Amino acid sequence: RFNDDDSAYLSRTPSVAGNRKTWTWSGWVKRGNFGAASGDDILFNCYSGTTRDAIRLEFAGEFRLYLNDGTSGSIETAALLRDPSAWYHLVVSVDTTKATASDRVTLSINGVAQTSLTTASYPALNYDTFINLAAAHRISSKAETSSDHFDGYLSEVNFIDGLALTPDSFGEFGDYGEWKPLKYTGAYGTNGF
């Protein structure tokens, strides 16, 4: 449980860099208080030293899932995640080695890849993201300013270094069409957790 009033976050700095081109972040999220309309609620963030050298997964403007890389692209879903009673399963899959730009980043919600996007600026071919640098990585806070804290619950958070996975690695559809969790049983890579 993360309470934004307590400025709660988790932080880790890997001792060596991992695969910066290919990775996956997965987590179950239940939102608590919503931030200011112009504010951001950070889920996952890495910062390497300057304002533009950062990447963050967040709820931007309160309700949309947003992945922003300071120097090479940003993707924002059209879907509004504004039900404080719901658990959402979010998956970010990145592989900048793919030839087609729109295949390089996929944002999924409850097992479904989001194709309706309000922003879609994809990273360049073979771009090294800031995720997996030997730099501060945080859950529930900007690493550079310790601000924009997430408020709510996170569960079954997995970070996979070196693989771009689909939601099927972390969940499955049940008999009634509901999306439910599966235990991740694959490899984590150098900096995965």
Side-chain angles (χ1 to χ4, degrees):
R1 178 176 183 264
F2 292 87
N3 182 345
D4 61 353
D5 294 333
D6 295 337
S7 300
Y9 65 88
L10 299 171
S11 182
R12 176 174 181 256
T13 301
S15 58
V16 297
N19 188 326
R20 295 173 54 199
K21 293 177 174 63
T22 308
W23 52 268
T24 305
W25 186 94
S26 167
W28 286 83
V29 178
K30 185 173 192 254
R31 305 200 60 192
N33 295 331
F34 297 111
S38 61
D40 306 315
D41 294 328
I42 302 293
L43 295 171
F44 189 50
N45 171 254
C46 179
Y47 172 68
S48 70
T50 67
T51 303
R52 297 297 293 173
D53 295 346
I55 186 170
R56 62 187 184 267
L57 174 65
E58 63 190 318
F59 289 109
E62 286 198 56
F63 303 123
R64 289 186 172 93
L65 186 63
Y66 182 57
L67 180 70
N68 181 19
D69 186 291
T71 59
S72 184
S74 59
I75 293 92
E76 181 178 72
T77 65
L80 301 174
L81 306 178
R82 56 187 175 193
D83 182 353
S85 68
W87 280 93
Y88 298 103
H89 180 231
L90 311 177
V91 176
V92 178
S93 183
V94 175
D95 185 351
T96 66
T97 68
K98 291 188 175 182
T100 303
S102 60
D103 291 340
R104 294 177 196 151
V105 178
T106 303
L107 301 180
S108 298
I109 301 170
N110 294 339
V112 179
Q114 300 299 294
T115 56
S116 181
L117 305 169
T118 60
T119 300
S121 173
Y122 296 97
L125 182 64
N126 293 316
Y127 175 73
D128 282 321
T129 70
F130 294 103
I131 294 293
N132 262 329
L133 278 172
H137 289 64
R138 284 193 180 180
I139 291 175
S140 180
S141 170
K142 281 185 180 174
E144 64 270 33
T145 60
S146 191
S147 64
D148 296 334
H149 297 277
F150 171 71
D151 190 279
Y153 295 87
L154 293 173
S155 182
E156 288 298 317
V157 172
N158 288 278
F159 173 68
I160 315 302
D161 178 358
L163 296 171
L165 301 175
T166 64
D168 294 343
S169 295
F170 310 98
E172 65 182 356
F173 287 103
D175 293 338
Y176 302 99
E178 78 281 12
W179 183 250
K180 57 186 185 177
L182 287 176
K183 180 177 176 59
Y184 177 69
T185 58
Y188 282 91
T190 302
N191 291 324
F193 56 83

